[in-house]
Amino acid sequence: MSSETAGSIIGWLWKVGRWLVLPLIVGGIVYQMNFAPVTVQGVTPTRKTVVSEVMGTGTLEARVSTTISPKIAGRIVEVLVDQGDTIEQGQVLVRLDDEELQQQVEIAQANLEAANAALQRLMADKNRAIAVFEQSKRHHDRMQSLKEKNATTQDDVDRAVESLAVATADMTRAEAAITEGQKSLLAAEKTLEYHRARLADTIIKAPFGGLVVDRQRESGDIAVPGSAVLTVIATDVLWISAWVDETEMSKLSIDQPARILFRSQPNQSYPGTVLRLAKQADRETREFVVDVQVSELPENWAVGQRADVFIETDRQDDVLTIPLTTLNRRDEQEGVFVAEGGTARWKAVTLGVRGRDSVEVREGLSESEIVLLVPTGQPMLKDGRRVRTP
């Protein structure tokens, strides 16, 4: 056979083989996609407790928080507590320099004593004026009686009248002086009270028991009214102020249980309770604040730290459940694929409470059926598709 004949035969075989291989490849692909068994994970429905939750993210806050600042300006002599200290109501926290105010109290005390002494003198003057008045009145009455009997002269009567008028004027002046003295005494008392109050303001006490979370001033600093020296919180109520989507609002109510995950300990949850629901939503994010009281705190915590809250809105115990990843929706109907005789069959199911990773099945499945879970990357299941479960 010549080389030309052999080359023609080989070319002809290549063309025929190419047309034969292509259908085989296509047929293999079609078979693999439609008829070859698909290996899928199968799970059986289990009975357990399923919990529906609403999630929010927020920060740890104290219900009662206050800034400790002086009512008067002054130099700080001593700050008696530090950040992290536990305090009691009425405990002395800060002392201001009180030397000048002590002197002002002493001066006010001396002025009060002087005003009181002056009032006592005026009272004595009034008593003397009363005695003179009474004597002048008796003398006047006697002169009038003698005049009626023509037993005295008109000059004596006139002098008695004049003496009575002078005594009356002296008594009126004494009474006015006493009124003035009483007002001076009251002013001195108020002045002393004012300076004592200012002196008391040099000692700053805790308004309530709690925890010092921040210290902003040191001894020697000048403090003025409104300037922060310490920040104190009450530890009886600590909560997570969590932002929750407004679409979940209808599911939430006061006293619902919750679990809290702090970012510092993401693998441990802490119990909590819904304490307050905000009545105003953010107009940009469409979220509103839910305050969840923390029943238990981590060993190390800080006001303002981030946390996630999961609020329990529904719970069903000992119900039939399947993983959420097994659900498959058809024509607005929830369903699952089950293994029947080596093939996949789609079944509609009636669902109940949805949890984090599972959902309650109320109708459509039994505990003996195998529900199919298609891993990512596998072909889509359909009715009648051959399946293989490991």
Side-chain angles (χ1 to χ4, degrees), residues 133 136 140 159-172:
F133 171 79
S136 299
H140 174 271
R159 281 194 294 270
V161 172
E162 182 180 356
S163 176
L164 179 59
V166 172
T168 302
D170 288 344
M171 189 173 64
T172 302

mmCIF file of all heavy atoms in Angstrom, residues 133 136 140 159-172:
data_model
loop_
_atom_site.group_PDB
_atom_site.id
_atom_site.type_symbol
_atom_site.label_atom_id
_atom_site.label_comp_id
_atom_site.label_asym_id
_atom_site.label_seq_id
_atom_site.Cartn_x
_atom_site.Cartn_y
_atom_site.Cartn_z
ATOM 1 N N PHE A 133 -42.881 105.910 128.726
ATOM 2 C CA PHE A 133 -44.218 106.219 128.210
ATOM 3 C C PHE A 133 -45.273 106.021 129.296
ATOM 4 O O PHE A 133 -46.182 106.840 129.475
ATOM 5 C CB PHE A 133 -44.509 105.344 126.998
ATOM 6 C CG PHE A 133 -45.927 105.433 126.525
ATOM 7 C CD1 PHE A 133 -46.361 106.508 125.761
ATOM 8 C CD2 PHE A 133 -46.865 104.446 126.880
ATOM 9 C CE1 PHE A 133 -47.682 106.583 125.347
ATOM 10 C CE2 PHE A 133 -48.173 104.527 126.459
ATOM 11 C CZ PHE A 133 -48.583 105.604 125.683
ATOM 12 N N SER A 136 -45.040 108.789 131.786
ATOM 13 C CA SER A 136 -45.567 110.039 131.225
ATOM 14 C C SER A 136 -47.075 109.989 131.124
ATOM 15 O O SER A 136 -47.768 110.998 131.339
ATOM 16 C CB SER A 136 -44.943 110.307 129.848
ATOM 17 O OG SER A 136 -43.550 110.439 129.944
ATOM 18 N N HIS A 140 -49.538 112.535 132.923
ATOM 19 C CA HIS A 140 -50.475 113.294 132.103
ATOM 20 C C HIS A 140 -51.891 113.152 132.648
ATOM 21 O O HIS A 140 -52.647 114.140 132.776
ATOM 22 C CB HIS A 140 -50.395 112.805 130.647
ATOM 23 C CG HIS A 140 -51.423 113.421 129.749
ATOM 24 N ND1 HIS A 140 -52.685 112.869 129.557
ATOM 25 C CD2 HIS A 140 -51.416 114.581 129.029
ATOM 26 C CE1 HIS A 140 -53.382 113.616 128.756
ATOM 27 N NE2 HIS A 140 -52.628 114.685 128.407
ATOM 28 N N ARG A 159 -46.803 120.867 130.058
ATOM 29 C CA ARG A 159 -45.567 120.095 130.146
ATOM 30 C C ARG A 159 -45.869 118.594 130.221
ATOM 31 O O ARG A 159 -45.146 117.771 129.662
ATOM 32 C CB ARG A 159 -44.773 120.546 131.376
ATOM 33 C CG ARG A 159 -44.011 121.856 131.158
ATOM 34 C CD ARG A 159 -42.990 122.082 132.257
ATOM 35 N NE ARG A 159 -43.654 122.296 133.542
ATOM 36 C CZ ARG A 159 -44.023 123.474 134.018
ATOM 37 N NH1 ARG A 159 -43.825 124.579 133.280
ATOM 38 N NH2 ARG A 159 -44.615 123.594 135.198
ATOM 39 N N ALA A 160 -46.931 118.215 130.859
ATOM 40 C CA ALA A 160 -47.316 116.795 130.933
ATOM 41 C C ALA A 160 -47.711 116.277 129.559
ATOM 42 O O ALA A 160 -47.370 115.143 129.170
ATOM 43 C CB ALA A 160 -48.452 116.613 131.932
ATOM 44 N N VAL A 161 -48.444 117.082 128.791
ATOM 45 C CA VAL A 161 -48.844 116.687 127.428
ATOM 46 C C VAL A 161 -47.606 116.535 126.547
ATOM 47 O O VAL A 161 -47.474 115.580 125.765
ATOM 48 C CB VAL A 161 -49.814 117.724 126.844
ATOM 49 C CG1 VAL A 161 -50.070 117.436 125.359
ATOM 50 C CG2 VAL A 161 -51.129 117.707 127.608
ATOM 51 N N GLU A 162 -46.678 117.481 126.662
ATOM 52 C CA GLU A 162 -45.450 117.427 125.848
ATOM 53 C C GLU A 162 -44.608 116.215 126.217
ATOM 54 O O GLU A 162 -44.071 115.521 125.345
ATOM 55 C CB GLU A 162 -44.653 118.720 126.075
ATOM 56 C CG GLU A 162 -43.387 118.768 125.232
ATOM 57 C CD GLU A 162 -42.607 120.053 125.473
ATOM 58 O OE1 GLU A 162 -43.082 120.919 126.219
ATOM 59 O OE2 GLU A 162 -41.499 120.165 124.898
ATOM 60 N N SER A 163 -44.536 115.964 127.531
ATOM 61 C CA SER A 163 -43.754 114.807 127.972
ATOM 62 C C SER A 163 -44.359 113.502 127.455
ATOM 63 O O SER A 163 -43.642 112.585 127.031
ATOM 64 C CB SER A 163 -43.704 114.775 129.504
ATOM 65 O OG SER A 163 -43.033 113.622 129.955
ATOM 66 N N LEU A 164 -45.683 113.405 127.425
ATOM 67 C CA LEU A 164 -46.347 112.199 126.901
ATOM 68 C C LEU A 164 -46.104 112.048 125.407
ATOM 69 O O LEU A 164 -45.869 110.927 124.907
ATOM 70 C CB LEU A 164 -47.846 112.264 127.187
ATOM 71 C CG LEU A 164 -48.685 111.089 126.673
ATOM 72 C CD1 LEU A 164 -48.191 109.775 127.275
ATOM 73 C CD2 LEU A 164 -50.168 111.302 126.952
ATOM 74 N N ALA A 165 -46.113 113.131 124.658
ATOM 75 C CA ALA A 165 -45.876 113.064 123.218
ATOM 76 C C ALA A 165 -44.458 112.605 122.920
ATOM 77 O O ALA A 165 -44.223 111.792 122.016
ATOM 78 C CB ALA A 165 -46.150 114.425 122.590
ATOM 79 N N VAL A 166 -43.490 113.121 123.682
ATOM 80 C CA VAL A 166 -42.094 112.696 123.482
ATOM 81 C C VAL A 166 -41.925 111.218 123.806
ATOM 82 O O VAL A 166 -41.260 110.463 123.092
ATOM 83 C CB VAL A 166 -41.151 113.557 124.347
ATOM 84 C CG1 VAL A 166 -39.734 112.996 124.310
ATOM 85 C CG2 VAL A 166 -41.159 114.995 123.869
ATOM 86 N N ALA A 167 -42.571 110.756 124.879
ATOM 87 C CA ALA A 167 -42.465 109.346 125.264
ATOM 88 C C ALA A 167 -43.105 108.446 124.209
ATOM 89 O O ALA A 167 -42.599 107.365 123.897
ATOM 90 C CB ALA A 167 -43.124 109.129 126.623
ATOM 91 N N THR A 168 -44.222 108.921 123.655
ATOM 92 C CA THR A 168 -44.876 108.138 122.586
ATOM 93 C C THR A 168 -43.977 108.031 121.363
ATOM 94 O O THR A 168 -43.855 106.957 120.755
ATOM 95 C CB THR A 168 -46.220 108.782 122.204
ATOM 96 O OG1 THR A 168 -47.060 108.856 123.364
ATOM 97 C CG2 THR A 168 -46.923 107.993 121.115
ATOM 98 N N ALA A 169 -43.349 109.134 120.973
ATOM 99 C CA ALA A 169 -42.451 109.128 119.820
ATOM 100 C C ALA A 169 -41.257 108.226 120.064
ATOM 101 O O ALA A 169 -40.819 107.484 119.173
ATOM 102 C CB ALA A 169 -42.010 110.559 119.515
ATOM 103 N N ASP A 170 -40.714 108.270 121.291
ATOM 104 C CA ASP A 170 -39.563 107.413 121.602
ATOM 105 C C ASP A 170 -39.934 105.937 121.514
ATOM 106 O O ASP A 170 -39.149 105.103 121.043
ATOM 107 C CB ASP A 170 -39.044 107.750 122.999
ATOM 108 C CG ASP A 170 -38.320 109.097 123.041
ATOM 109 O OD1 ASP A 170 -37.962 109.601 121.948
ATOM 110 O OD2 ASP A 170 -38.108 109.626 124.152
ATOM 111 N N MET A 171 -41.138 105.593 121.953
ATOM 112 C CA MET A 171 -41.565 104.192 121.902
ATOM 113 C C MET A 171 -41.770 103.749 120.450
ATOM 114 O O MET A 171 -41.404 102.631 120.067
ATOM 115 C CB MET A 171 -42.855 104.020 122.702
ATOM 116 C CG MET A 171 -43.245 102.552 122.879
ATOM 117 S SD MET A 171 -44.642 102.316 123.975
ATOM 118 C CE MET A 171 -45.919 103.147 123.051
ATOM 119 N N THR A 172 -42.342 104.628 119.619
ATOM 120 C CA THR A 172 -42.528 104.291 118.203
ATOM 121 C C THR A 172 -41.183 104.099 117.517
ATOM 122 O O THR A 172 -40.986 103.171 116.722
ATOM 123 C CB THR A 172 -43.322 105.395 117.497
ATOM 124 O OG1 THR A 172 -44.582 105.553 118.155
ATOM 125 C CG2 THR A 172 -43.544 105.057 116.038
#
